[in-house]
């Protein structure tokens, strides 16, 4: 008897994100996973054949390979599956829907109706979650010169970084992308609702997964000179009812990046010194969860009309 379960093929399932997605999908009996033998995974004909029998293909590939895989799927014409791209290749392409369901009202519906969805980057998920609501509320003008700082676990940095940190005596902490051309800046710029390109300074710590993204602000330079409580309330209203995003009440004196590991949650914080009229906003997430594999499964569920996988 033929199965009515939607079939999923992960193109690039051997990488960190692909493995994370597969592990999550194996816990979902309502879908059927397709896979190629290792010897066929780089064979275009074999990949095209398996795509033709899939309802949705997840691309977990380097950018150029993801573009080639998307073209391969498109060559199937009416048999072309839905695509969910976990690479950077299509994130600011207007023909692809950006896969951050909580980004703005109606975005989850857009994802559900789309045939091509670009999964967000880990750093942009935190940065956009902090910036866009405040731009929409008029509390941050779109041309504000913003600086975003972030630290991630080494698992998001690719094979060379993972191997460097897993070796005995690996680096404790590193700043990187100091040429100010990190590939995630484009989506922060576009989907943050900004007209001025932000400065983004990422770093990696000697821990496997987890992430903190921080945004410092001078409150008196913002329209209406808002308080920290005003910023927190704007974020709280924006994400009211969101399944995966929450705004903390405050009171913490420190944050560590690993608290949300193996979840699809995103926590937002506002820390303010009202006497100094300064604030720092922080997003905490798992770079492999809401920052990658967890977000992909959430988007997949929307695209296939499945019960929420948030």
């Amino acid at each position: 008897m033929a199965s009515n379960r939607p079939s999923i093929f992960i193109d690039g399932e051997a990488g960190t994100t692909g493995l994370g997605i597969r592990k999550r999908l194996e816990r979902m009996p309502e879908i059927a996973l397709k896979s190629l033998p290792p010897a066929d995974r780089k064979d275009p004909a074999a990949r095209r054949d398996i795509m033709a029998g899939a309802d949705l293909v997840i691309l977990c590939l380097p950018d150029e390979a993801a573009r080639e895989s998307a073209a391969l799927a498109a060559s199937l014409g009416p048999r072309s599956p839905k695509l969910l791209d976990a690479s950077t290749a299509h994130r600011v392409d207007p023909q692809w829907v950006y896969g951050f369901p909580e980004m703005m009202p109606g975005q989850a519906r857009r994802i559900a109706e789309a045939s091509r969805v670009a999964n967000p980057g880990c750093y942009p998920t935190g940065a956009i979650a902090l910036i866009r609501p405040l731009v929409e509320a008029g509390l941050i003008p779109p041309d504000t010169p913003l600086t975003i700082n972030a630290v991630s676990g080494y698992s998001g940095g690719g094979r060379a970084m993972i191997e460097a940190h897993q070796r005995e005596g690996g680096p404790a902490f590193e700043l990187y992308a100091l040429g100010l051309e990190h590939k995630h800046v484009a989506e922060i710029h576009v989907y943050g609702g900004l007209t001025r390109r932000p400065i983004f300074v990422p770093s990696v710590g000697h821990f496997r997964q987890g992430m903190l993204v921080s945004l410092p602000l001078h409150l008196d330079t913002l329209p209406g000179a808002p308080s920290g409580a005003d910023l927190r309330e704007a974020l709280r209203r924006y994400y009211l009812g969101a399944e995966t995003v929450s705004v903390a009440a405050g009171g913490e004196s420190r944050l560590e990046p690993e608290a949300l590991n193996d979840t699809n949650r995103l926590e937002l914080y506002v820390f303010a010194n009202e006497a100094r009229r300064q604030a720092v906003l922080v997003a905490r997430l798992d770079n492999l969860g809401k920052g990658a594999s967890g977000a992909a499964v959430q988007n997949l569920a929307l695209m296939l009309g499945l019960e929420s996988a948030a």
Side-chain angles (χ1 to χ4, degrees), residues 27 29 177:
R27 300 195 293 263

Side-chain angles (χ1 to χ4, degrees), residues 118-134:
N119 214 51
C122 49
Y123 290 125
T125 296
I128 294 165
L130 293 171
I131 295 167
R132 187 172 186 120
L134 303 181

Side-chain angles (χ1 to χ4, degrees), residues 100-255:
F100 186 178
E102 300 86 4
M103 183 176 75
M104 62 181 182
Q107 192 68 8
R109 176 182 53 78
R110 295 182 187 95
I111 294 166
E113 295 173 353
S115 61
R116 302 289 186 269
V117 173
N119 214 51
C122 49
Y123 290 125
T125 296
I128 294 165
L130 293 171
I131 295 167
R132 187 172 186 120
L134 303 181
V135 171
E136 294 283 343
L139 294 170
I140 294 180
D143 64 347
T144 302
L146 296 177
T147 297
I148 302 154
N149 302 285
V151 61
S152 174
Y154 59 77
S155 56
R159 179 177 297 176
M161 183 177 286
I162 291 171
E163 290 176 352
H165 279 269
Q166 288 181 338
R167 284 196 299 267
E168 185 176 351
F173 180 87
E174 295 175 295
L175 290 177
Y176 68 102
L178 294 175
L180 304 182
E181 289 289 353
H182 192 282
K183 63 181 183 177
H184 286 177
V185 174
E187 58 193 287
I188 298 172
H189 189 182
V190 171
Y191 299 113
L194 301 172
T195 58
R196 185 190 297 267
R197 186 179 187 272
I199 293 174
F200 175 52
V201 185
S203 60
V204 60
H206 195 53
F207 53 95
R208 185 173 188 274
Q209 65 192 90
M211 174 172 284
L212 297 173
V213 180
S214 60
L215 175 71
L217 296 169
H218 291 274
L219 297 175
D220 285 344
T221 67
L222 303 179
S227 66
D230 294 330
L231 301 180
R232 185 180 299 109
E233 179 60 17
L235 291 171
R236 188 194 68 79
R237 287 197 305 268
Y238 197 86
Y239 293 111
L240 200 61
E243 285 188 81
T244 64
V245 184
S246 62
V247 180
E252 298 83 358
S253 60
R254 62 183 64 193
L255 288 177

